[in-house]
Amino acid sequence: MEFLQEIARNAWVQYDYSRRLEESLDVLKIEMQELSSQQTDIIIALNTAEVVHGKKPKAEVSLWLENVEKVTSAMTKIEEVYGEIGRDFSLPRVTLGKHVIEKIEEVVKLKEKGRFSEGLLADLLLKSGSMPTTKLVGRTTAERNLEQIWESLMDQEVRTIGVYGMGGVGKTTIMTHIYNKIQISRILGTAIWVTVSNDSSIERLQNGIARAIELDLSYEDDEMRRKIKLFEALKRRGKFVIILDDMWKSFPLEKVGIPEENAYKVVLTTQSKNVCRGMKCQKKFEMEVLSREEVWELFKEMLGTDVVFSPEVEQIAKLVAEECGGLPLGIITIASAMREKDDVREWRNALEELKCSTMEIEGMDDQLFPILKFSYDRLKSEKIRSCFLYCALYPEDYAFDDEELVKYWIAEGLIEDMGYWEKEQDKGHIILNGLIDVCMLVKKFVDSIGMHDLIRDLAIGITRKRPRFVVKAGIGIRGSIGVQEFTEEVDKISLMRNQIEMISGEPNCPKLSTLLLQENPLSGNISHEFFNHMNGLRVLDLSKTGIEYLPESVSNLENLHMLLLNSCERLREVPSLAKLKRLRFLNLNDTGIKEVPDGMECLVNLKEFYVSSAEETKKINAGGCNSLMLTDSIINLKMERCDLSSLHCLSRLQHLQSCDILECSMKWLLPIGDNSTIIPSLPSIQCLDLMDLPNLRGLCEGALLRGSFACLRNLSVWGCEVLENVMSLELFQHLQCLQYIRIIECNEMVEVIKGGEEGDNNNNNNTIILLPNLNSFLLDNLGKLKCICKRLIICPSLTEIYITDCPLLKKIPLSMGHSTSVVRGRIKGSKEWWDALEWDDPNTKTLLLPIFHEQRRGMKRKAERAEEVASTSHYR
């Protein structure tokens, strides 16, 4: 009897597997969608971490991703098998039903494991990234110095090494080479670089090391606890070398929290041998200046390899080179200032200036200063010198963004008003490149600039008198600050990157033109009357602060050109901006404001406007379709997480060049209105980025005049869930400047370009579309897309194409003419899909065949496929 009951139970289980197969498949698909979203988020985070920080995923994360790929592949096989079997009870249905249930359990477990509460990334110090550096100058001397330092590092008995010498001799440069050698060889573990500076303390030194190893000590005030946390964090990292660059006084390593074992080495650079003694350095190396022969070789190299001197000029040039005292920094700056000078009188004058130049600057070497001051004096104009001095407002060893710096210059009036925004930016970058060219600034990364610490000392020394700067950036100021620094004579103040909680008082600063307060907590806010007597203020940067409200007195800053409030997540309200008619830059990105400020229609000189909510779940009230008024002066516009049905004002923005709209609630970018029938819409727009607009129906509710979007180069549409097409054929065929198209994850998109059917009176005379500049075309994850365009698109410049996850697409209407060039990219789909594709130009198919990647979907008999699924380890 029990035997029969067991048979019955087994039969019922098998029947249940078959009966509930469709229901189980639906559950599995939902679970797989959630897993796929989780996978996408993690991949994006990993890619960002690798590009920005050079970090790699933990081994468990990599394994998780591999398992997700396996289960995704298994899901594909399940769907294939399901398509082959019938709906009647059968052994294949039973087998498949059982595997689906097992797969649901596996996916649920993978989702849980994918939370990674301990983080996704391996420790920063496990990477082997290198620092940007310049080549070693003075071949014999530099190579000897490098070799001696490296030999000492390899000595197991040596723990602390001191490298000393006068400013500008090349200590930092040689240590960047040592740093890179450590990172590449891995013999000594990893390298940690910390710039110390002359106003450092144990706390600042601890903070510098903590930042380098991504340890947060910002909320830890107790010295002992800071030391213990840093000590434990360093011990966990195994072998390492800490490089302390530019030390001016000694600190006991045990008080800092650096472990006292020979596996952990410390190398410091300093101008003082006494600091090496105070730090108990076991090995001390004095950086030698260059020999006379090396000086002249480097000087000639920096002048240019094609320079030819007359005997008289060469004799004076050698004397000028000797005035540099064998210091590489001095040689480079002087030679850069004298490039393309062949008049003997200029060289005689230069030699005289170098001999006579004097000025006392605290911490500046007496021999080096005249050299650097000479280069400053040789800058072409007072405005260029002012642009250079402005860079001293940043903290020491700070990599500042070149675009941000140019905007500061423009807002300050250091770049004259040329009537055209692009010309002013170009002029700023020309000045910037000129300062880099004469080595007064250095290129750190692709889009960031820095100053040598001695060059910065020079600039600060100059600005202690006139123009009058107060620079206390990044020096660890805590608590509140009063008006003592805000005097009547001060021109510019930088208090950025400190721990200032509150600013109070009503200072009288009629000359103050720039005030940088970014990256301070400011949780105690700023007193309401603080800006009452700052009528000359042009630049106010409060970005990345914890400020909750903006003082009412800001509303009266009628000369203000730049107001930066981005990343002020606690900021809830901004007073009226109606009086700020000179404002050119306004950034409200990632703030807590609920409504766009009043008075936007009065900002007749506004060039850039950025606004977004810091809360993902909330949107800023942008006033619906009528009350958000932006003036025609705007060049760059970015709106994120704003509650608005449309942007009526866009139709009037004849000078807008860049527009990003993200996570807003609009249905139409350009609603039909009076302006759209009078003038072209957005005739100057070059870059248009539309992302995550869940209600977007299209670019325009009605037809657009010819000339609309005429300058469009880059078009990105991503995550617009109900958008069925991007634009009409009538508009598309006139976009002759178009270079880049990207359409991603638009679930309802059926066709990219609407129109072009036979008999369409609007465009029946246009048999082909020519886009001469189109070079990149991307379509991804468009599940319902059937048609790109019903007309042939000739794009002779096309060099990159991606088409993935577009299973219903029937035709690729692209022609590259007679081009034979190699096209980059990827086209992915089943072999059947590829073979069924229609082509207007057979040559295009030939050119794109090498980048086609097949998604395999082999077809076998039902029983064979069911058996294969059952025997595959993925299903166990």
Side-chain angles (χ1 to χ4, degrees), residues 345-380:
R345 288 165 294 192
E346 289 193 76
W347 282 94
R348 280 201 299 262
N349 182 63
L351 180 60
E352 189 65 23
E353 286 186 25
L354 278 170
K355 288 180 176 179
C356 298
S357 180
T358 59
M359 179 177 175
E360 292 183 3
I361 294 180
E362 183 182 350
M364 177 72 73
D365 187 273
D366 292 340
Q367 184 176 1
L368 181 60
F369 172 73
I371 300 169
L372 303 183
K373 181 64 164 55
F374 172 86
S375 299
Y376 169 76
D377 291 336
R378 302 287 293 189
L379 294 175
K380 293 181 180 179

Side-chain angles (χ1 to χ4, degrees), residues 533-595:
H533 307 295
M534 296 185 185
N535 297 331
L537 197 62
R538 297 173 67 104
V539 175
L540 176 57
D541 194 337
L542 287 162
S543 60
K544 300 179 184 176
T545 63
I547 194 168
E548 293 183 358
Y549 59 81
L550 206 59
E552 292 290 337
S553 51
V554 167
S555 295
N556 297 318
L557 296 175
E558 296 184 7
N559 280 306
L560 199 63
H561 284 60
M562 173 182 277
L563 178 57
L564 303 182
L565 298 165
N566 45 296
S567 301
C568 296
E569 298 181 1
R570 300 174 66 200
L571 182 65
R572 293 293 180 263
E573 188 176 349
V574 175
S576 174
L577 305 179
K579 294 183 181 179
L580 310 189
K581 292 181 169 54
R582 291 183 173 87
L583 198 64
R584 304 186 81 185
F585 308 90
L586 176 59
N587 195 331
L588 299 174
N589 263 351
D590 295 321
T591 63
I593 64 172
K594 298 177 181 178
E595 295 186 357

Side-chain angles (χ1 to χ4, degrees), residues 632 647-657 659 669-686 688 699-712 731 734-735:
D632 188 30
L647 271 173
H648 243 293
C649 59
L650 281 189
S651 299
R652 299 190 308 275
L653 302 186
Q654 297 291 290
H655 300 99
L656 187 67
Q657 296 178 8
C659 181
L669 186 68
L670 295 167
I672 200 68
D674 295 336
N675 286 332
S676 62
T677 60
I678 301 172
I679 55 176
S681 296
L682 299 176
S684 303
I685 193 77
Q686 297 178 18
L688 179 61
L699 293 185
C700 183
E701 196 172 358
L704 293 170
L705 288 183
R706 184 167 181 172
S708 299
F709 294 91
C711 295
L712 188 63
L731 173 61
H734 296 302
L735 304 185

Side-chain angles (χ1 to χ4, degrees), residues 269-301:
T269 71
T270 178
Q271 292 190 32
S272 170
K273 191 174 183 179
N274 287 333
V275 172
C276 295
R277 293 193 188 101
M279 294 292 293
K280 301 178 182 178
C281 293
Q282 295 164 277
K283 289 281 188 177
K284 294 179 279 290
F285 296 98
E286 181 178 8
M287 286 287 291
E288 302 172 18
V289 298
L290 304 186
S291 67
R292 178 175 291 185
E293 293 75 19
E294 289 172 329
V295 167
W296 181 237
E297 286 302 314
L298 177 59
F299 196 81
K300 287 193 298 182
E301 182 181 338

Side-chain angles (χ1 to χ4, degrees), residues 298-353:
L298 177 59
F299 196 81
K300 287 193 298 182
E301 182 181 338
M302 296 309 299
L303 286 172
T305 55
D306 57 346
V307 66
V308 178
F309 287 137
S310 68
E312 185 180 11
V313 169
E314 181 169 334
Q315 183 180 5
I316 300 172
K318 285 183 177 180
L319 293 174
V320 169
E322 288 177 12
E323 286 292 322
C324 299
L327 299 173
L329 178 61
I331 296 166
I332 291 168
T333 53
I334 295 298
S336 300
M338 293 301 293
R339 282 181 194 149
E340 301 179 3
K341 303 289 192 299
D342 55 8
D343 190 326
V344 67
R345 288 165 294 192
E346 289 193 76
W347 282 94
R348 280 201 299 262
N349 182 63
L351 180 60
E352 189 65 23
E353 286 186 25

Side-chain angles (χ1 to χ4, degrees), residues 30 51 100 243 245 377 479 635 787:
I30 292 172
V51 171
V100 169
I243 298 172
D245 186 42
D377 291 336
I635 302 292
C787 174

Side-chain angles (χ1 to χ4, degrees), residues 1 48 50 74 81 136 200 282 342 370 558 560 640 646 655 813:
M1 187 66 180
T48 302
E50 181 172 9
V81 172
L136 292 174
S200 192
Q282 295 164 277
D342 55 8
E558 296 184 7
L560 199 63
E640 186 173 359
S646 60
H655 300 99

Side-chain angles (χ1 to χ4, degrees), residues 17 20-29 31-32 71 74-75 77-79 81-82 85 92-108 869 875:
Y17 279 140
R20 297 175 56 193
L21 177 56
E22 283 73 22
E23 178 185 343
S24 299
L25 268 176
D26 289 341
V27 172
L28 179 57
K29 287 177 181 178
E31 295 290 343
M32 282 298 300
V71 81
M75 182 68 191
K77 291 182 180 179
I78 287 174
E79 290 178 328
V81 172
Y82 177 73
I85 61 179
R93 277 184 66 89
V94 172
T95 303
L96 187 60
K98 180 181 179 182
H99 290 315
V100 169
I101 296 296
E102 292 172 351
K103 196 55 56 184
I104 291 172
E105 295 175 358
E106 183 178 346
V107 172
V108 169
V869 170
Y875 289 85

